[in-house]
Amino acid sequence: MASKDTLATSSSMQVAYLSLPLETWWECLSYVSKRDLQRLRLVCRFFARICFKPLFETLSWSVPNADLLLWGPPIALEDEVRGLYSFITDGSAADIHHTVRRLDFKGIDRGFRTCLRSPRISAAYSSYLALFRQALAAFTALRALNLTAVTIDDKVAASLQSLSFLSTLELNDCEVISTLPIQLPLCNFEVVSTWDCEDHKVTRGALHLVAPQRLEGVVIADDRWTSALFSAWGNVPMSFLTRLTIRVQRGQSVSFLNFLRQCPQLDSLFLAPDSSLDYPDGTLSPTTVPHLRVYEGPLILAHAFIIDRNITSARLDAVSVDDRSGSFIPMQTESIIGVLEMTLPAAPHVRTLRLCEVCPNLPLLRLVAMHMRELRTLELRLTSDVGSTGLQPEEMSESISQSAVSISASDLEGVLCVADHVGIPVDRSTGFPTEKYPPVETVLVWATLGLVVLPSFLEELDVQLSDYFPPMKGGLITSISPSVGACNGGLDVSRMLHNLSRRFTRLRRCTLNEQVWAFTAGDEGGAMDWVETRRVLHAEGD
């Protein structure tokens, strides 16, 4: 009887197991690595069938051991060519060909190509490129194509034109020498260049690859392509463009403003941190980009794009660019506060705010809480160097904050009570911490003591050291200790966050450098409490 019940239970589980929609399985399998998918296919026929699509939807090809081509015969490249030839010409792989949705293809970097004089290497690489063009003809359902270090000539352009479903094209360190006016009807177009070569010029003719009228997202991370874009598309109506990522130089201001007028549906604008722009009064009126909701870019330009617009998300980079070296320089805290005082009152509906390259500063944080009452997510990227002051961030913030902020007698009593509860040593007469903490911990200590009031609707707080600038030489800037539940100086993070959640009842997630905390129920459904859910690891192999 027991065996029959066991069989019945097993049978019912199997029916429920197989009755899940394929879309549900594919969503679950999207979180599984390629290696594990290959192993999972060997379990049974069912998993062999459902793993097929996620396993072959994305393919990546690159020249193996490209660095070794300078020192020996291209044995690995020739083996790769033979393997790709077998894969592309094998009739039994037709199902795979029709499954591929994205292809990442990397050629040989231009610097290596100019040094390759061996006829054997040239022949192998030519065969490799020919197989790539043949693959484009075989992958009839291809939706996205990422090309790296590829010269787009007439042959490659013609292959791209044959892809009926191609909607996304990403070019990384690519040259366009084709003269065919193919006008690909893309939805997303991206150009990134990481190398600079004087003889590599981009003309407006390079943009004949793409039909701009249907574009929804554009990323241009190359100054030469930026100039070509303004020249080729500056007067073309782009009614579908909603996302634009670009770097703009001061000399391109007029062209950029004219281009924005052709994008009435633009929703998200992402400017590189080193962008500069001249905009006379009235040139950036709300009618220029009336539907703008997301702005990410330099803090000094935020006023132009936030004023009189319903911005709901903003990332503000508090950096300037050195005219001589072209390197980033963090803005002084006084300058940051001055710009924010002009900008934040005009952005009452911002729900997500990221401030980059700022130091811990009480007036700055109180300014955010005062004007951004609907803020749900606050992200701070703290720099370890404060401009040219020569002070550590905690010293700079202390010198400014203690002179600018005073605590009433009633508030002081509350600060001392919290400090005793969570174990933070403070000056009994002023309420300010007596210990020197690194930047991330400084913000947490201030918030815990109530020296700074967070926005009342805040749900997520993310405070990390910025990776723009290295720590000062000889400085004491360190990250939060990796020991669970404790920071440098013996701070109990869990207890501090528990105290915060009493005053800010909507706060549910907090990221402190490498530690991610969540306010959740215990394993057995107990009371809500702060639990470390994840730690960002940077060590090799983690």
Side-chain angles (χ1 to χ4, degrees), residues 214-417:
R214 304 294 299 180
L215 284 173
E216 298 176 7
V218 172
V219 177
I220 303 294
D222 186 324
D223 294 339
R224 292 160 297 197
W225 279 85
T226 300
S227 299
L229 180 145
F230 293 150
S231 177
W233 297 348
N235 297 317
V236 178
M238 303 183 69
S239 303
F240 293 93
L241 188 66
T242 59
R243 304 178 307 279
L244 175 63
T245 302
I246 199 168
R247 175 186 288 108
V248 181
Q249 302 301 325
R250 194 175 304 277
Q252 301 169 330
S253 299
V254 175
S255 299
F256 177 62
L257 295 176
N258 290 334
F259 178 77
L260 288 182
R261 296 187 181 96
Q262 307 302 321
C263 311
Q265 300 301 321
L266 192 66
D267 176 85
S268 305
L269 177 62
F270 309 96
L271 295 179
D274 57 344
S275 295
S276 55
L277 185 65
D278 286 331
Y279 52 96
D281 293 339
T283 56
L284 266 174
S285 63
T287 58
T288 302
V289 276
H291 300 289
L292 194 65
R293 297 292 180 269
V294 179
Y295 169 77
E296 298 190 7
L299 173 62
I300 56 176
L301 298 180
H303 185 268
F305 293 99
I306 291 181
I307 292 294
D308 296 327
R309 292 183 177 85
N310 190 21
I311 299 295
T312 58
S313 178
R315 187 210 73 203
L316 308 178
D317 297 297
V319 296
S320 57
V321 182
D322 185 274
D323 294 333
R324 295 182 178 179
S325 63
S327 59
F328 292 117
I329 303 174
M331 295 173 59
Q332 298 289 338
T333 301
E334 296 89 339
S335 300
I336 296 174
I337 293 177
V339 176
L340 291 179
E341 286 177 342
M342 293 190 302
T343 305
L344 296 187
H349 303 298
V350 170
R351 291 173 173 260
T352 301
L353 175 65
R354 174 185 286 190
L355 291 176
C356 301
E357 315 321 310
V358 297
C359 71
N361 183 269
L362 282 178
L364 186 150
L365 295 175
R366 291 189 172 187
L367 189 65
V368 172
M370 180 189 305
H371 295 291
M372 308 211 134
R373 302 184 182 278
E374 297 183 15
L375 197 65
R376 301 296 191 272
T377 302
L378 175 61
E379 302 179 17
L380 301 176
R381 298 297 179 264
L382 305 178
T383 177
S384 57
D385 189 4
V386 188
S388 58
T389 62
L391 296 177
Q392 295 293 339
E394 52 271 339
E395 298 171 341
M396 177 69 178
S397 60
E398 181 182 14
S399 65
I400 294 176
S401 303
Q402 293 195 14
S403 62
V405 178
S406 59
I407 302 177
S408 64
S410 58
D411 291 339
L412 178 60
E413 183 179 353
V415 169
L416 297 179
C417 181

Side-chain angles (χ1 to χ4, degrees), residues 5-15:
D5 293 341
T6 303
L7 290 175
T9 303
S10 175
S11 177
S12 62
M13 289 178 61
Q14 184 177 11
V15 172

